[in-house]
Amino acid sequence: MKRRKLISGGLLGAAAMATGCGSKSRATGGSMVATGKVVRWRLASSFPSSLDTIYGAAEVLADRVREMSGGNFDIRVFEAGELVPALQVMDTVQTGAAQIGQTGGYYYTGKDAALAFDTCVPFGLNARQQTAWLLEGGGLKLMRDVYADFGMINFPGGNTGAQMGGWFKNKVESLADLKGLKMRIPGQGGKVMDALGVNVQVLAGGDIYPALERGAIDATEWVGPYDDEKLGFYKVAKNYYYPGWWEPGPNLSFLVNQKAWDELPADYKAMLEAATREAATAMMTRYDAKNPAAWKRLLKQDITVRKFPEDLLSAARAAAEELLETEAAADARYAKILAEWRVFRDDSFDWFGAAELAYANFAMGE
Ligand code: CA
């Protein structure tokens, strides 16, 4: 297989020995650590390099693994479209053409609807809750069972935090205003919007602005201030809505081909896993550090920030619950995941609804 040919003791191995890494590893003999083996992987990202928040986390991962392995474990990062189109990352990891991918599980709900839980579902968990569910609440085990069907293992890889509801050319004053509205919104959020009468469009990042500008769509969602500002939506749609109830805390994932993972020496596995945690922290903290300044800049533009009307939020929440029920009825594993996830969500909402919410309302509210 192609992938095997990429694993060789070439130039990088020699360079590692010059740094002393190779000799140290030999001293540990037959133990499971520091083999000095040269491993070269390709990482296919679903995101453009212009998103220094998300794509930047893949670079953090590659840099840290390279540093920890003395250069022996080398991961080359490819942005969306470079190796494969953005939404083919999971397929590429499955075939092994890229050993690792950076993407969102919810792009692949056509393969298995339960993959939405790996990222987020409408009215679901916020970033901290999603991370807690995956890493400490049993979520990762449930998700790994789904990804195993596709010959891969997943690692949580960062979060955007609660997203904004997006850019609307016209005001949305009630649920009725959604009827026939042409909006770019992918995934589960799109399904809920469809149920509410929206004419749902799915467009890749680069195609949104021109569609909005020429009126092919009336509204779009993207991420939040820092990323939205770069795409310039504020120039052509003047109503900036919140909250992005369909993405309250979306987790992006690193997907690793199971065979490639199995072939890694134990120390490289530990390095990779640690680096995914560091990459995840980099993503979330970059958003939290960069969004406030971008928010301030956007507020100086000729735009109006608006909250979605209550009747829209209530109807969307009801439609989202119905969607979860429908999908659970069609798939026993989905139903099991939903049942466990709901217990976690409800308990987590109870707790966050106490101290965190009271603090936020008092300190950060209007
Ligand atoms: Ca979004």
mmCIF file of all heavy atoms in Angstrom, residues 106 163-164 184 186 221-224 246-247 250, ligand 1:
data_model
loop_
_atom_site.group_PDB
_atom_site.id
_atom_site.type_symbol
_atom_site.label_atom_id
_atom_site.label_comp_id
_atom_site.label_asym_id
_atom_site.label_seq_id
_atom_site.Cartn_x
_atom_site.Cartn_y
_atom_site.Cartn_z
ATOM 1 N N TYR A 106 -20.191 16.025 11.742
ATOM 2 C CA TYR A 106 -21.534 16.331 11.249
ATOM 3 C C TYR A 106 -21.600 16.555 9.744
ATOM 4 O O TYR A 106 -22.681 16.684 9.185
ATOM 5 C CB TYR A 106 -22.187 17.468 12.024
ATOM 6 C CG TYR A 106 -21.608 18.856 11.917
ATOM 7 C CD1 TYR A 106 -22.302 19.941 12.474
ATOM 8 C CD2 TYR A 106 -20.397 19.126 11.303
ATOM 9 C CE1 TYR A 106 -21.814 21.223 12.418
ATOM 10 C CE2 TYR A 106 -19.891 20.405 11.243
ATOM 11 C CZ TYR A 106 -20.601 21.450 11.795
ATOM 12 O OH TYR A 106 -20.107 22.721 11.742
ATOM 13 N N GLN A 163 -21.691 29.622 18.218
ATOM 14 C CA GLN A 163 -21.611 30.400 16.996
ATOM 15 C C GLN A 163 -22.706 31.462 16.943
ATOM 16 O O GLN A 163 -23.665 31.433 17.711
ATOM 17 C CB GLN A 163 -21.692 29.463 15.785
ATOM 18 C CG GLN A 163 -20.507 28.497 15.753
ATOM 19 C CD GLN A 163 -20.299 27.857 14.394
ATOM 20 O OE1 GLN A 163 -21.051 28.087 13.447
ATOM 21 N NE2 GLN A 163 -19.246 27.054 14.292
ATOM 22 N N MET A 164 -22.536 32.374 16.002
ATOM 23 C CA MET A 164 -23.566 33.387 15.770
ATOM 24 C C MET A 164 -24.615 32.801 14.819
ATOM 25 O O MET A 164 -24.360 31.846 14.094
ATOM 26 C CB MET A 164 -22.949 34.650 15.174
ATOM 27 C CG MET A 164 -22.154 35.483 16.177
ATOM 28 S SD MET A 164 -23.177 36.235 17.487
ATOM 29 C CE MET A 164 -23.900 37.653 16.620
ATOM 30 N N ARG A 184 -28.139 29.840 3.526
ATOM 31 C CA ARG A 184 -27.050 28.851 3.513
ATOM 32 C C ARG A 184 -26.874 28.374 4.946
ATOM 33 O O ARG A 184 -26.506 29.141 5.836
ATOM 34 C CB ARG A 184 -25.762 29.506 3.005
ATOM 35 C CG ARG A 184 -24.568 28.553 2.945
ATOM 36 C CD ARG A 184 -23.757 28.590 4.226
ATOM 37 N NE ARG A 184 -22.661 27.623 4.171
ATOM 38 C CZ ARG A 184 -21.948 27.246 5.223
ATOM 39 N NH1 ARG A 184 -22.202 27.731 6.414
ATOM 40 N NH2 ARG A 184 -20.997 26.383 5.095
ATOM 41 N N PRO A 186 -25.783 24.427 6.602
ATOM 42 C CA PRO A 186 -25.631 22.976 6.405
ATOM 43 C C PRO A 186 -26.076 22.167 7.625
ATOM 44 O O PRO A 186 -26.478 22.730 8.653
ATOM 45 C CB PRO A 186 -24.124 22.821 6.183
ATOM 46 C CG PRO A 186 -23.510 23.945 6.963
ATOM 47 C CD PRO A 186 -24.526 25.049 7.016
ATOM 48 N N GLU A 221 -25.231 31.561 7.526
ATOM 49 C CA GLU A 221 -24.529 31.439 8.797
ATOM 50 C C GLU A 221 -23.105 31.026 8.457
ATOM 51 O O GLU A 221 -22.846 30.463 7.390
ATOM 52 C CB GLU A 221 -25.223 30.412 9.695
ATOM 53 C CG GLU A 221 -25.131 28.963 9.210
ATOM 54 C CD GLU A 221 -23.896 28.245 9.713
ATOM 55 O OE1 GLU A 221 -23.650 28.286 10.916
ATOM 56 O OE2 GLU A 221 -23.173 27.643 8.890
ATOM 57 N N TRP A 222 -22.170 31.317 9.345
ATOM 58 C CA TRP A 222 -20.803 30.844 9.159
ATOM 59 C C TRP A 222 -20.276 30.403 10.518
ATOM 60 O O TRP A 222 -20.609 29.327 10.977
ATOM 61 C CB TRP A 222 -19.948 31.933 8.476
ATOM 62 C CG TRP A 222 -18.552 31.511 8.130
ATOM 63 C CD1 TRP A 222 -17.400 32.135 8.533
ATOM 64 C CD2 TRP A 222 -18.135 30.404 7.317
ATOM 65 N NE1 TRP A 222 -16.300 31.478 8.020
ATOM 66 C CE2 TRP A 222 -16.720 30.413 7.273
ATOM 67 C CE3 TRP A 222 -18.815 29.395 6.632
ATOM 68 C CZ2 TRP A 222 -15.976 29.454 6.572
ATOM 69 C CZ3 TRP A 222 -18.076 28.437 5.933
ATOM 70 C CH2 TRP A 222 -16.681 28.474 5.903
ATOM 71 N N VAL A 223 -19.555 31.269 11.238
ATOM 72 C CA VAL A 223 -19.027 30.846 12.531
ATOM 73 C C VAL A 223 -19.314 31.911 13.594
ATOM 74 O O VAL A 223 -20.247 31.798 14.386
ATOM 75 C CB VAL A 223 -17.505 30.550 12.450
ATOM 76 C CG1 VAL A 223 -16.989 30.082 13.811
ATOM 77 C CG2 VAL A 223 -17.211 29.480 11.387
ATOM 78 N N GLY A 224 -18.499 32.940 13.609
ATOM 79 C CA GLY A 224 -18.640 34.004 14.610
ATOM 80 C C GLY A 224 -17.813 35.188 14.153
ATOM 81 O O GLY A 224 -17.249 35.165 13.048
ATOM 82 N N TRP A 246 -27.984 26.146 16.401
ATOM 83 C CA TRP A 246 -27.652 24.853 15.785
ATOM 84 C C TRP A 246 -26.209 24.451 16.057
ATOM 85 O O TRP A 246 -25.838 23.306 15.873
ATOM 86 C CB TRP A 246 -27.934 24.887 14.281
ATOM 87 C CG TRP A 246 -27.351 26.087 13.579
ATOM 88 C CD1 TRP A 246 -26.116 26.166 12.994
ATOM 89 C CD2 TRP A 246 -27.954 27.367 13.417
ATOM 90 N NE1 TRP A 246 -25.915 27.419 12.475
ATOM 91 C CE2 TRP A 246 -27.041 28.179 12.718
ATOM 92 C CE3 TRP A 246 -29.186 27.917 13.802
ATOM 93 C CZ2 TRP A 246 -27.309 29.514 12.392
ATOM 94 C CZ3 TRP A 246 -29.435 29.242 13.474
ATOM 95 C CH2 TRP A 246 -28.514 30.019 12.777
ATOM 96 N N GLU A 247 -25.388 25.423 16.464
ATOM 97 C CA GLU A 247 -23.998 25.105 16.779
ATOM 98 C C GLU A 247 -23.551 25.797 18.073
ATOM 99 O O GLU A 247 -22.744 26.717 18.053
ATOM 100 C CB GLU A 247 -23.083 25.489 15.602
ATOM 101 C CG GLU A 247 -23.308 24.583 14.407
ATOM 102 C CD GLU A 247 -22.438 24.956 13.216
ATOM 103 O OE1 GLU A 247 -22.802 25.877 12.488
ATOM 104 O OE2 GLU A 247 -21.405 24.311 13.038
ATOM 105 N N PRO A 250 -19.663 23.425 18.712
ATOM 106 C CA PRO A 250 -19.249 22.352 17.803
ATOM 107 C C PRO A 250 -17.799 21.912 17.993
ATOM 108 O O PRO A 250 -16.889 22.725 17.991
ATOM 109 C CB PRO A 250 -19.456 22.962 16.412
ATOM 110 C CG PRO A 250 -19.361 24.435 16.626
ATOM 111 C CD PRO A 250 -19.920 24.691 17.998
HETATM 112 CA CA CA B 1 -21.697 27.414 11.410
#
